[in-house]
Structure formats: C-alpha cells, structure tokens
Amino acid sequence: MGVAGSSGRREGWSPAPFATRLPVIGLVIVVALAAVIRPAAPIVFVGLLFVYLIGRLFAGRSALAANLAPGAVAAVLPVAAILVWRSLPEPAADPTGADCANLVAPPAIWRLLEAGVGLITLVLLVRDRRGSLGDLGFRRGSRNVRLVAVAGLLVFTPIAIYAGTMLGGSALGDAFFGSYTLNLSQPLAFLPAVVFAASNALAEELAYRGAMRVWLAPTLGVMGANLAQAVVYGLSHTGDDFAGPEGMIPAVAATIAVGFLAGVITRRTNSLTIALAVHAAADIPIYLYWACRIA
C-alpha cells in the first residue's frame, strides 16, 4: 500500500477533498457511537436506511447524495443491523451448565439469528447495488489461502480453548472477566460452539472486512476504510462482559489491531477465508464461556 504518487494515494489514504470525505467520516462516527451506546443502535439503523433510500433517489442530483449513497451508507448498514440485534436482551444459557452440549443452546441460536439479520441486510444491499458477495471477499481464494485457513483453524482452535481455560484462573483473567472455570468434559459442546463461532465469524467478517472495508474505500481510501472498520469493530466489543474498564480498554485496543490486520490479510489474499477461519477458532471459547462456565 504505497503512498507515493496519485496511484499510491488511492491505495493508502484517499486523495479526495476533505469536504467529500467529511460526510462519510461522520457516518463512521455515528455507527461507532451506536457500537458503544447500544440503545441508540435502532435509531441509527433507521436513520441510515432513510438516508440510503433518499440518497439512492437523488444520487445523480447532488454531490452530497453521491458521496453518501449508495456506497458509503451501504458500507455501514450491515454493521448497524448487527448492532440493532445486539441491543436486544440476549437470552442466557442455563447457569447450571445444562445448555453446554445443547445444539439449540440460547447463545448459539442467538448468534445464528444475528448472522441471519446481518446477512439478509448485506445480500439485499449487494443485489440493490448489482454487485456480488465475491466483490466483498466472500470467495474461497487460492489453494494456498485455503491451506493456510485450514491450518489456522486447526492450530488456533486448541490454542484459543487452552488460553480461555487458563485465563479464567489467572489474575489477568480476573481483571478482564472475573474468575471462572470452563467445563470441557462434554465433547458434544463443540457442536453448538461451532454454530456460535461460525455464525459470529461469518456475520462480522462480511460486515466489517467485507462491506465496510470495500465500500468505504472509494471515499476514504484503502487505508482509511480499513482503519474505519477496525475501529468500529473494536468498539462493538464494549459492554457488560468485562469486570471493569481496566479490562475493557486493552481488550478493545487489541480487537482494533486484530480487525485492522484481518483487513490487511483479506485485501492481500482477495478473500475472507483466512480471517473467517481464525475468527471462528477464536470464538469457540467464547461459547464455552457463555454456556459451559462453572461459577
């Protein structure tokens, strides 16, 4: 991603005038606020949808409408839809651990439905824009990409589970999430864990590394779009899951860094495959935390 010359600027930060980029930056800020203040997410989504529809009608009649729709607003709508779902009260798993190996455990089904909300929004936008999911990186990639993805899934899954187990009994884990122990004695727990992890990974990768990264690039540039999606992605991981701000702040910072790196990998490989595999592997212990935790 060079920075020299006109082509380099297109690959890095957008050479578009600041007045052109400002409305799009405003959209990103609004969605970022919805990521932090979840009760505002439904209002933000409805407002963005209204702007998208109005902009679609007047895209050829004003510079502002051309900047905001259909590309820029479409970029943030799938994320906004996911945030609306997350603003709803999430059903908890049985506190006794009875849902641990339940294929229809509330956390797994909740994330499956969330993925459906995000994917339906995204598919409708893709069809409206006469594009394809492949344009957003939803393709298998080369043989080497697929091999790396499989290797990443096989390597990171046990590492993530081990790290999640060790974290619960450590001082670091206590600062982040409080003390906990995971019940790993039920092999069938991996079935709902896969549903949970695959649903979450697919929805988030397509929304952030797909729609936001690709559809914001014409205005913000490749670097700016990737940074925007990473920041919103990191802020979407705030909430009541942490023991306190001393755990939440470094976790959000790390998530922003991971989101940015995933965007770089996706662009370099022209595929979401590696990001999807590693993301799913990392989310398996999150299901175990929700459904298989021993207080």
Side-chain angles (χ1 to χ4, degrees):
M1 291 183 289
V3 295
S6 176
S7 175
R9 288 196 298 273
R10 291 192 191 96
E11 292 297 309
W13 300 101
S14 172
F18 182 71
T20 301
R21 286 176 284 153
L22 185 59
V24 180
I25 294 172
L27 287 176
V28 174
I29 292 173
V30 167
V31 177
L33 290 175
V36 177
I37 308 171
R38 296 293 170 81
I43 299 173
V44 169
F45 176 77
V46 172
L48 289 173
L49 182 59
F50 177 78
V51 172
Y52 178 81
L53 295 174
I54 294 298
R56 188 174 178 275
L57 291 174
F58 297 98
R61 305 181 189 181
S62 73
L64 179 60
N67 290 336
L68 289 181
V73 182
V76 296
L77 267 173
V79 170
I82 291 173
L83 293 175
V84 170
W85 185 260
R86 292 189 180 177
S87 70
L88 302 174
E90 182 174 350
D94 190 303
T96 67
D99 283 326
C100 183
N102 180 9
L103 187 58
V104 291
I109 298 304
W110 190 253
R111 290 305 171 99
L112 180 63
L113 294 174
E114 175 190 289
V117 169
L119 290 175
I120 288 171
T121 304
L122 185 60
V123 168
L124 290 175
L125 289 168
V126 167
R127 291 189 63 182
D128 186 61
R129 303 194 67 213
R130 295 178 175 84
S132 71
L133 291 177
D135 298 335
L136 305 182
F138 192 58
R139 52 168 63 93
R140 293 184 303 170
S142 67
R143 181 173 180 273
N144 287 339
V145 166
R146 298 196 299 273
L147 288 175
V148 171
V150 171
L153 187 63
L154 295 177
V155 170
F156 279 103
T157 298
I159 291 176
I161 294 173
Y162 177 78
T165 303
M166 294 297 101
L167 196 63
S170 67
L172 181 63
D174 189 58
F176 277 78
F177 309 106
S179 180
Y180 64 88
T181 302
L182 298 181
N183 177 14
L184 302 180
S185 64
Q186 302 183 61
L188 290 179
F190 286 95
L191 295 178
V194 168
V195 173
F196 176 98
S199 299
N200 197 52
L202 184 61
E204 291 191 334
E205 291 304 323
L206 276 170
Y208 290 96
R209 262 65 73 187
M212 276 196 74
R213 183 187 64 85
V214 174
W215 287 342
L216 288 179
T219 305
L220 299 183
V222 170
M223 184 74 74
N226 196 34
L227 180 61
Q229 65 83 16
V231 170
V232 177
Y233 176 66
L235 292 177
S236 72
H237 288 76
T238 56
D240 300 328
D241 304 338
F242 298 92
E246 66 277 3
M248 182 176 65
I249 293 173
V252 169
T255 306
I256 291 173
V258 169
F260 187 87
L261 178 60
V264 172
I265 292 173
T266 298
R267 177 175 176 267
R268 295 294 187 185
T269 61
N270 199 29
S271 170
L272 286 166
T273 300
I274 294 175
L276 281 168
V278 176
H279 192 155
D283 279 356
I284 286 178
I286 297 178
Y287 170 81
L288 299 177
Y289 174 82
W290 285 119
C292 307
R293 186 169 78 247
I294 303 173

